[in-house]
Amino acid sequence: MGIQEQLIAWYEQNARTLPWRKSRISSYQILVSEIMLQQTPAARVAPQWQAWIKRWPNAASLANATPAEVIRQWDRLGYPNRALRLHQTAKELVAKHNGKLPSTYDELIALPGIGDYTAAAIIAFAHNKRSVVLDTNIRRVISRVWHGVERPGTSVSSGERQFAESLVPLADESAAKWSIAIMEFGALVCTARDPQCSACPIANTCNWRIAGFPASDIKPKTQKFEGTDRQVRGQIMKLLKDSASSLPKSTLAEVTSDTQQFERALHSLVIDGLVDVTKNGRFQLPK
DNA sequence: AAGACGGGGCT
DNA sequence: AGCCCAGTCTT
């Protein structure tokens, strides 16, 4: 059984019962959930989604609301511009698409508030069609399981997208299931912090796991760097390479008990162009 | 490629 | 105090 089948089977048994996953949910209602879920945990969205759908069950009713009502109903979900864009999209759906969501990526992404992720999600979860869904969960799972790296890069490279596409089953139905399954898996098991590897159905084939991570299970032994500046540099470079391509600064800081020595060595690495420092404090090998 | 944009929960 | 969350839009 391939990883696709394993994670889909896991999903059937372990998926949360979220209100927008019930049957007879319209494409507009899926859209509302996807917009609310942008940068907002599902547990916090659920009650807000219910209230919203009860008040505005379809695009036409939402289109008739005022912006003030929309903002008020949005309450404290955050990023209130999402509510205004959703409102605008509802109007466009009524005006141009018979109150429903269009089915092509280009039409979807042209709507306000719908970017790459949401367009792909609508195609998969509202229309049950094949698409390449790439959210923070899926990117993290692919990075770990297939590439053996804890975190994906800050932006989606073309290679990353192509690889993700290669994992999506060909048939529409299976493709949609795969996307929701790997996403849920990332949200519940392969989490950003404190991943539940002991409950992971694919731990045996996970390259991150095989590489000896997460370090919380295998105690990170602090390592002392000794020798000349050049020798210390070589040791840190080896560490960076072993970790594939990136790791948190906190992890790096633990490798030596002499923080100042470490900072000096790292500084010289950066100066020499041997290591890149990203804005969020991660280190990576230059491309 | 980097910043701005919210708020709440968790460590 | 910092990280993270089913991202999008604008420089």
Side-chain angles (χ1 to χ4, degrees):
Chain A
M1 189 162 64
I3 292 186
Q4 276 82 355
E5 289 84 355
Q6 291 183 70
L7 286 188
I8 289 173
W10 172 90
Y11 177 81
E12 308 287 357
Q13 293 300 314
N14 300 281
R16 294 168 289 184
T17 56
L18 296 168
W20 49 88
R21 285 181 182 165
K22 296 181 171 139
S23 55
R24 291 191 298 280
I25 301 296
S26 69
S27 60
Y28 155 81
Q29 293 172 341
I30 294 290
L31 171 69
V32 174
S33 76
E34 291 301 343
I35 299 293
M36 287 185 170
L37 285 163
Q38 289 167 3
Q39 296 291 282
T40 310
R44 194 144 74 93
V45 165
Q48 294 290 325
W49 183 87
Q50 309 249 41
W52 187 283
I53 295 304
K54 185 171 184 181
R55 182 169 185 178
W56 297 307
N58 51 52
S61 56
L62 176 55
N64 283 331
T66 68
E69 291 172 325
V70 164
I71 288 296
R72 188 165 177 76
Q73 182 67 38
W74 193 257
D75 200 24
R76 305 203 173 193
L77 270 183
Y79 290 144
N81 265 333
R82 287 185 294 169
L84 298 177
R85 295 188 183 122
L86 175 58
H87 185 211
Q88 187 57 39
T89 285
K91 290 184 176 179
E92 294 189 23
L93 293 182
V94 171
K96 303 178 194 170
H97 298 98
N98 197 26
K100 298 186 176 180
L101 273 293
S103 54
T104 69
Y105 181 88
D106 288 342
E107 290 173 297
L108 286 166
I109 209 168
L111 266 9
I114 298 184
D116 172 74
Y117 162 75
T118 305
I122 294 292
I123 292 171
F125 309 141
H127 299 310
N128 255 278
K129 294 289 188 183
R130 187 172 189 272
S131 68
V132 182
V133 181
L134 271 186
D135 79 320
T136 182
N137 288 310
I138 295 178
R139 295 189 65 214
R140 183 177 58 247
V141 173
I142 292 176
S143 176
R144 288 178 181 174
V145 177
W146 278 272
H147 303 312
V149 180
E150 179 177 13
R151 327 275 281 172
T154 52
S155 60
V156 179
S157 68
S158 62
E160 181 183 356
R161 179 172 300 279
Q162 189 171 4
F163 186 79
E165 191 278 336
S166 74
L167 297 176
V168 181
L170 266 33
D172 287 326
E173 191 97 354
S174 307
K177 273 190 189 174
W178 163 246
S179 292
I180 194 64
I182 187 175
M183 202 181 313
E184 186 79 341
F185 174 74
L188 297 184
V189 177
C190 198
T191 49
R193 282 177 304 186
D194 193 24
Q196 308 297 301
C197 299
S198 59
C200 176
I202 56 174
N204 292 337
T205 51
C206 173
N207 283 305
W208 190 44
R209 188 67 175 170
I210 291 170
F213 293 91
S216 56
D217 280 9
I218 301 141
K219 269 305 171 212
K221 40 181 186 282
T222 56
Q223 173 184 342
K224 184 104 177 170
F225 292 120
E226 295 177 349
T228 66
D229 213 44
R230 169 168 294 281
Q231 289 170 325
V232 169
R233 181 180 314 183
Q235 292 168 46
I236 294 179
M237 275 306 293
K238 181 177 187 313
L239 187 73
L240 286 167
K241 281 178 178 165
D242 289 347
S243 72
S245 70
S246 78
L247 68 175
K249 183 174 185 178
S250 59
T251 302
L252 275 179
E254 288 172 5
V255 303
T256 174
S257 53
D258 187 341
T259 303
Q260 294 208 334
Q261 180 189 23
F262 168 76
E263 293 291 348
R264 275 202 310 279
L266 185 61
H267 184 66
S268 61
L269 284 172
V270 175
I271 295 290
D272 293 351
L274 296 174
V275 174
D276 287 335
V277 183
T278 63
K279 200 71 180 182
N280 52 18
R282 290 178 198 152
F283 302 93
Q284 60 187 20
L285 299 176
K287 300 200 166 101

